[in-house]
Amino acid sequence: MKKVLLLFLFSLFACAKMEFSNPKPGFDTPRKWVIPVKTDDLHVVNHIIGGVNNVLNEYPPESLRVAMVFYSSGMRVIRKDYNAKTLTRLKSLMDGYEVEMVGCLNTMKTMGWKKRDYIDGIVYRQAGIAEILERDVAGWTVFAPY
């Protein structure tokens, strides 16, 4: 009896599908999600990356646009000398899912960092917080999954 119940529960969860709100996400109506990253805490950053991966796997291709905006201590996360495994995960988000990585020039100036200190593919904006604000005004959903 236990085996039958476990098999039933497994099949129920294996077939669970996301129910999308209207308008359904698609090429012409993508969801837009901006994720503020203001910490360099390895544990937190890896949870954020895991959350982003989970969400990306729920949506059909080309139906979700994601931007991660790094500012303050979060700018350390996209430096070439940050944790190698985490940088590999970030690069896979950029390459495999076209997640946009945005860096804050104000933080870089304050810390004395240069663009050459960062991984390739970063888009730079003068103020990371202002970038988040403007994307919010433009209809992007703003939240960090951790």
Side-chain angles (χ1 to χ4, degrees):
M1 180 67 172
K2 286 183 184 180
K3 288 182 182 179
V4 172
L5 182 59
L6 286 173
L7 183 60
F8 173 74
L9 289 174
F10 176 76
S11 65
L12 181 66
F13 288 114
C15 296
K17 259 185 124 178
M18 181 74 160
E19 290 292 326
F20 296 109
S21 301
N22 287 320
K24 304 286 186 213
F27 181 80
D28 293 328
T29 55
R31 300 292 192 257
K32 297 177 283 185
W33 178 24
V34 62
I35 302 149
V37 182
K38 62 182 179 179
T39 182
D40 63 347
D41 181 285
L42 189 59
H43 178 77
V44 172
V45 169
N46 278 298
H47 272 306
I48 291 171
I49 294 169
V52 171
N53 272 313
N54 290 342
V55 172
L56 285 166
N57 288 322
E58 283 294 320
Y59 282 82
E62 300 182 359
S63 68
L64 177 65
R65 292 178 54 201
V66 178
M68 297 177 75
V69 179
F70 299 84
Y71 64 98
S72 187
S73 296
M75 283 297 290
R76 286 188 176 94
V77 174
I78 51 177
R79 285 178 51 95
K80 291 176 183 174
D81 60 357
Y82 193 68
N83 179 271
K85 184 176 178 182
T86 301
L87 288 175
T88 299
R89 294 180 74 199
L90 286 171
K91 289 175 189 174
S92 82
L93 289 177
M94 294 168 68
D95 297 338
Y97 292 102
E98 297 182 4
V99 172
E100 185 180 4
M101 304 288 172
V102 181
C104 176
L105 290 170
N106 286 341
T107 299
M108 290 172 59
K109 181 179 178 184
T110 300
M111 301 303 289
W113 294 332
K114 306 293 181 204
K115 287 182 181 179
R116 68 177 176 265
D117 299 328
Y118 290 88
I119 60 174
D120 293 333
I122 304 300
V123 175
Y124 297 94
R125 299 290 184 259
Q126 192 62 47
I129 295 172
E131 178 71 12
I132 294 165
L133 176 62
E134 287 305 310
R135 288 191 188 227
D136 182 53
V137 171
W140 288 65
T141 300
V142 180
F143 75 93
Y146 186 79

